[in-house]
Amino acid sequence: MVKVIASSVRKGNVIDVDGKLYVVLTAENFHPGKGTPVTQVNMRRIVDGVKVSERWRTTEQVERAFVEDVNHQFLYEDGEGFHFMNPENYDQVVVDVDTMGDQKAYLQEGMTCVLSMHEGIALALQLPRHVTLEIVETEPVVKGQTASSSYKPAMLSNGIRTAVPPHIDAGTRVVIATEDNSYVERAKN
């Protein structure tokens, strides 16, 4: 086990709390005007899938479990779960729906992801930071609206809603941040 400060805990990390392994679902650092900065962590217990919320001071020590982060390529999804292949030794790993969570919307065939492996079991998945998707539905541009820095709602090809600048129309390919579903830029290709 490796001890790290609470503020360095990120989504996808595996931590040990009281001898039980948890995978971090979300981690936010709060710095109030008065008082001590804290880290709010939502996590899922690996053994039984129970979700737990924990709050630590940002300087508190937390134990990170030893997990091996290995690049895997996404192959397909079926009734068993999500199938990934290690491109180095061609071993295949099946990740269940609970482990995948809401990240499944971003999976694309052939995409390289990082699987956190502990004793041969996939505990967590880290998607690439950005993915390129197509806008399937958005409001038409209103004359004069492009001058302001407002955003309009849009539906992506994977079914997720986001906000895009007014000059983006349906059919445009855009780069989206997988962490918070936010628009990054228009795709270059």
Side-chain angles (χ1 to χ4, degrees):
M1 300 290 174
V2 178
K3 288 200 177 249
V4 296
I5 58 172
S7 63
S8 69
V9 173
R10 298 283 174 261
K11 179 179 180 178
N13 288 161
V14 178
I15 57 176
D16 185 317
V17 179
D18 301 326
K20 294 184 176 73
L21 293 179
Y22 293 84
V23 64
V24 176
L25 303 173
T26 61
E28 289 183 86
N29 293 317
F30 294 105
H31 300 277
K34 283 185 174 179
T36 309
V38 293
T39 300
Q40 175 72 37
V41 178
N42 294 319
M43 47 196 179
R44 181 176 43 82
R45 193 165 40 226
I46 291 168
V47 178
D48 53 12
V50 172
K51 291 185 179 172
V52 178
S53 186
E54 196 73 51
R55 184 177 285 214
W56 293 296
R57 289 189 306 277
T58 54
T59 55
E60 248 179 281
Q61 297 284 314
V62 179
E63 287 189 32
R64 274 191 64 185
F66 176 73
V67 279
E68 188 178 9
D69 289 340
V70 183
N71 284 338
H72 280 75
Q73 193 172 26
F74 175 64
L75 299 174
Y76 60 92
E77 174 192 3
D78 65 7
E80 255 186 275
F82 299 86
H83 295 259
F84 291 85
M85 178 186 70
N86 184 334
E88 292 175 14
N89 58 15
Y90 304 109
D91 285 348
Q92 290 193 17
V93 177
V94 178
V95 177
D96 62 22
V97 177
D98 292 337
T99 303
M100 185 60 66
D102 57 358
Q103 299 180 68
K104 66 183 173 191
Y106 287 112
L107 280 180
Q108 298 169 354
E109 194 173 311
M111 175 184 275
T112 300
C113 302
V114 177
L115 288 180
S116 298
M117 306 291 287
H118 181 71
E119 297 176 2
I121 299 168
L123 304 177
L125 170 103
Q126 294 172 14
L127 293 170
R129 293 176 57 99
H130 300 113
V131 294
T132 302
L133 296 164
E134 188 174 326
I135 302 288
V136 292
E137 179 186 316
T138 188
E139 298 171 358
V141 67
V142 177
K143 188 173 182 180
Q145 188 182 16
T146 55
S148 68
S149 61
S150 63
Y151 278 66
K152 63 182 181 179
M155 177 69 79
L156 298 168
S157 56
N158 64 354
I160 290 183
R161 294 197 162 281
T162 189
V164 296
H167 66 275
I168 302 289
D169 294 322
T172 306
R173 292 177 53 78
V174 294
V175 177
I176 300 294
T178 56
E179 194 168 306
D180 60 359
N181 307 332
S182 64
Y183 169 84
V184 177
E185 65 184 354
R186 177 181 269 172
K188 303 215 179 343
N189 51 7

